[in-house]
Amino acid sequence: MATFLYRLGRWSFLRRRLVTLLWVALLAAVGVLATKAPAAPDDGFSMPGTEAQKAFDLMDERFPGAAAEGASARIVFVAPSGQKITAAPNQQAVERTVAELAGTEQVTGAVGPFQAGAVSKDGTTAYATISYSEKPGKVAETATDRLEQAAQHGRDAGLTVDVGGTALMPGPEAGGSTEAIGMAMSAVVLVITFGSLLAAGLPLLTALVGVGLGIALITALGSTLGLSTTTSTLAMMLGLAVGIDYAVFIVSRYRAELLEGHEPEEAAGRAVGTAGSAVVFAGLTVVIALAGLSVVGIPILAKMGMAAAGTVVIAVLVALVLVPALLGFLGRRVLSRKDRAGSRPGARPGSRFGARSRSRGRRAAGAEGPDTVHGPGAAGPRDNGGTRWARYVLRRPVAVLVGAVVGLGILAVPALDLRLGLPGDEAKPTSTTQRRAYDHLSAGFGPGFNGPLTLLVDVKGAPDPKAAAEQVGKTVAALPGLVSVSPPVFNKAGDTALVNAVPATGPSAAETTALVNDIRDRAPDLKAATGATVLVSGPTAMNIDVSQKLTDALVPYLAVVVGLAVLLLLVVFRSVLVPVKAALGFLLSVAAALGAVVAVFQWGWLAELIGVEQTGPVMSMMPIFMVGVVFGLAMDYEVFLVTRIREAYVHGEEPGQAVVTGFRHNARVVTAAALIMISVFAGFIGMDESMIKMMGFGLAAAVAFDAFVVRMAIVPAALALLGRRAWWLPRPLERILPDIDVEGARLQSPPPAPRSGSWPEPAGEAGDDSGAGDDSGAGQGRHSVRV
């Protein structure tokens, strides 16, 4: 693996103009295909296998046209204090407002409250229903502006008027301002990390190329594979995240090789051969996590996962091929001026780890800037923040390990009270008209009015269809927790009826979930007594089914993703305990992040600090998304950090010193990568949408816990306590597992005899007088690393 990637890196460096031209041509070609591709299909949110979905499907079949997909709006009117909405002046104002919208752009129907009997019992509140020809998220801005203008005219007449409904649902957004803020903060972190504008700009440029190509491919293949614009949201977020990360690790290793004295061409090959191997396997863990979303059984999630996985694959290819090509144009200019002045162009180090004749335990590889003393008489790498922290952990590993585990465990405690749901308008800020309309309807018609249940009664084959449907209505109406139950409404064939039931509690309340389960529990008895099949559906029931299905899928998803990743890391690290430790640390960080989400968004702790105005259940998709996204990023940090530690160990260092060496070279880069991810995710906390705010907070917290507590504290402490046992591999597994040479051991060996072909061979150090031959194979022999 390392040798192949070494050749690939040097080839890309040498053929930089050709490689860059090919990538530009590919991006342009796919962009043209995307512009000419048929429009992507609309997302149909379906939940195969759930009762609510079965009812929706049967409703479409038995009531053709009744389940129209057009958006709708509810205009809620509240009379002034002490007045009735039915008073003549108020009623006239309501009718004028509704009439103003009838027949306007995209409006197919406008039904006033007095026509439909939509007036509260106390006579203070009423609502009108406006139907649109377009689907939710696609109503024209001019149409929604007209809706707001009509509502304002009602307010001018002295009424309180607010608007809710799916007509105000925004269309898919790329989140341009959020991405721009994330990119700006990423640029700042990279400039501080590298001390060079060129080195900082290269990862941002290549990440944009990768994301642009990925999104263009999704658009071009949208109609063929059923990938909509919504599908690309996760692909854009993760493509940008890992694209920056992977390029950062290649560029960082390239700079390190330059500072060792290697020529740029050789440095590029070695950077791709070593850090590139880690990029490949880090990318594979992310792909596994995203592709694993198919296990959940929700088509839209599976499509999002596969699209994002494809974008991650592109990010890996960009890092391995395009990044070294662009490094060919920059050469030594990726170094800061101070480092360029201190490096020695053309030097031929005895081995990639510097002159080992000084001391096998003292390494000079990869030290950057102030971490390395260059020139004659240099005494070796200086300490930096990474080495100081690693030595601190090595001196007191038990205290650090126990403190980190207990701290994350305490943060995870609130997750035991996790309640899942799909929050609607009730979770929006009170400053929005949708939230105010929701509150007005709850006050006037009861909390359950915003989440009615639809009972589909299939009486096909029943002895007396009408009597069966009426019996179902009576039985349901007798249940506690219901405010009203409507008479059954039959279809034209007379074999199916719809019954609307209004709960006494809100859509996301636990009592409403219990009520739905109670109705479903009585369905078998109703079937036996009347011959009618009862299915509970509607948006509220669908949300309940979504939450339950996602909850049931969480454990299998974790088992598949974590299991496959452990097997992959077993091959990468050739160790049993390191992959298990990585998986357990990840689970701990995710549990802590979920606990923080519950504490803030469900319990209300510090909610005002981040602008959470309404507490409630956690979004149903949050745990699955958090597991998938954070697992991929966490394994990135694990692979990049621990491969450098294993590299030092394989090449002869003692276990403790190997930890220090790994932290010397990669702690700064992993920290920068984590800060970039946290900045990107934290940018979403400022959004008004509750679900987006929750997602941003949860992901930012999870990355922070995993990068700075698990990888920076638990990992070195665990490795210190395990010592050589950390790298233990049973002999049967040692014989079975392939040795893929992630550490680049072969790059330290004398080169094989030259052979024909355009692929460059690893530059060997045999034959020079640097003393490379003293111990180039010592570490490998001692730790049985095959090449």
Side-chain angles (χ1 to χ4, degrees), residues 258-604:
L258 286 179
L259 290 172
E260 279 192 7
H262 289 293
E263 292 295 333
E265 174 188 336
E266 178 70 9
R270 290 174 178 265
V272 177
T274 51
S277 298
V279 165
V280 169
F281 287 96
L284 280 176
T285 59
V286 181
V287 169
I288 288 172
L290 295 172
L293 289 172
S294 303
V295 177
V296 179
I298 300 178
I300 183 61
L301 275 182
K303 291 178 181 179
M304 291 178 71
M306 296 306 295
T311 307
V312 171
V313 171
I314 293 173
V316 172
L317 294 176
V318 167
L320 299 180
V321 181
L322 182 58
V323 169
L326 295 180
L327 288 173
F329 291 107
L330 298 179
R332 298 182 184 277
R333 286 178 293 172
V334 296
L335 298 174
S336 65
R337 290 185 178 181
K338 179 180 178 181
D339 288 337
R340 288 203 299 271
S343 63
R344 293 183 299 162
R348 294 279 297 171
S351 76
R352 195 175 54 75
F353 300 104
R356 291 198 180 189
S357 56
R358 298 188 194 120
S359 170
R360 180 173 298 180
R362 302 179 66 178
R363 295 163 46 92
E368 298 189 22
D371 302 337
T372 302
V373 180
H374 298 284
R382 292 181 188 155
D383 285 350
N384 59 16
T387 58
R388 287 189 289 272
W389 171 250
R391 290 195 180 104
Y392 174 85
V393 175
L394 291 175
R395 287 195 298 270
R396 42 185 72 79
V398 174
V400 171
L401 182 63
V402 172
V405 171
V406 171
L408 291 179
I410 292 173
L411 289 172
V413 169
L416 298 174
D417 188 38
L418 177 67
R419 288 193 301 112
L420 298 180
L422 289 178
D425 287 347
E426 76 276 11
K428 294 183 182 297
T430 53
S431 58
T432 63
T433 187
Q434 296 99 315
R435 170 62 186 278
R436 293 195 299 268
Y438 181 96
D439 291 342
H440 293 324
L441 290 172
S442 295
F445 298 89
F449 183 81
N450 286 290
L453 305 177
T454 301
L455 277 59
L456 186 142
V457 185
D458 183 2
V459 292
K460 195 172 185 177
D464 188 344
K466 184 177 181 180
E470 290 177 349
Q471 180 60 41
V472 169
K474 290 179 181 177
T475 302
V476 171
L479 296 177
L482 281 171
V483 174
S484 64
V485 176
S486 69
V489 177
F490 283 87
N491 62 347
K492 290 183 179 180
D495 59 2
T496 310
L498 294 179
V499 176
N500 287 324
V502 178
T505 51
S508 60
E511 293 82 358
T512 303
T513 301
L515 174 63
V516 170
N517 293 332
D518 193 9
I519 296 174
R520 288 173 172 171
D521 290 342
R522 295 172 187 268
D525 294 337
L526 289 170
K527 172 75 171 178
T530 64
T533 300
V534 181
L535 301 175
V536 184
S537 189
T540 299
M542 176 61 86
N543 290 348
I544 292 171
D545 287 350
V546 169
S547 300
Q548 187 59 51
K549 186 162 188 174
L550 288 169
T551 301
D552 295 341
L554 184 57
V555 173
Y557 176 66
L558 273 173
V560 170
V561 171
V562 175
L564 289 176
V566 166
L567 291 177
L568 182 64
L569 295 179
L570 183 67
V571 175
V572 173
F573 295 127
R574 299 186 65 78
S575 162
V576 173
L577 297 179
V578 170
V580 172
K581 177 256 321 164
L584 292 177
F586 156 74
L587 293 174
L588 192 58
S589 61
V590 167
L594 279 176
V597 169
V598 170
V600 174
F601 291 87
Q602 189 175 307
W603 292 359

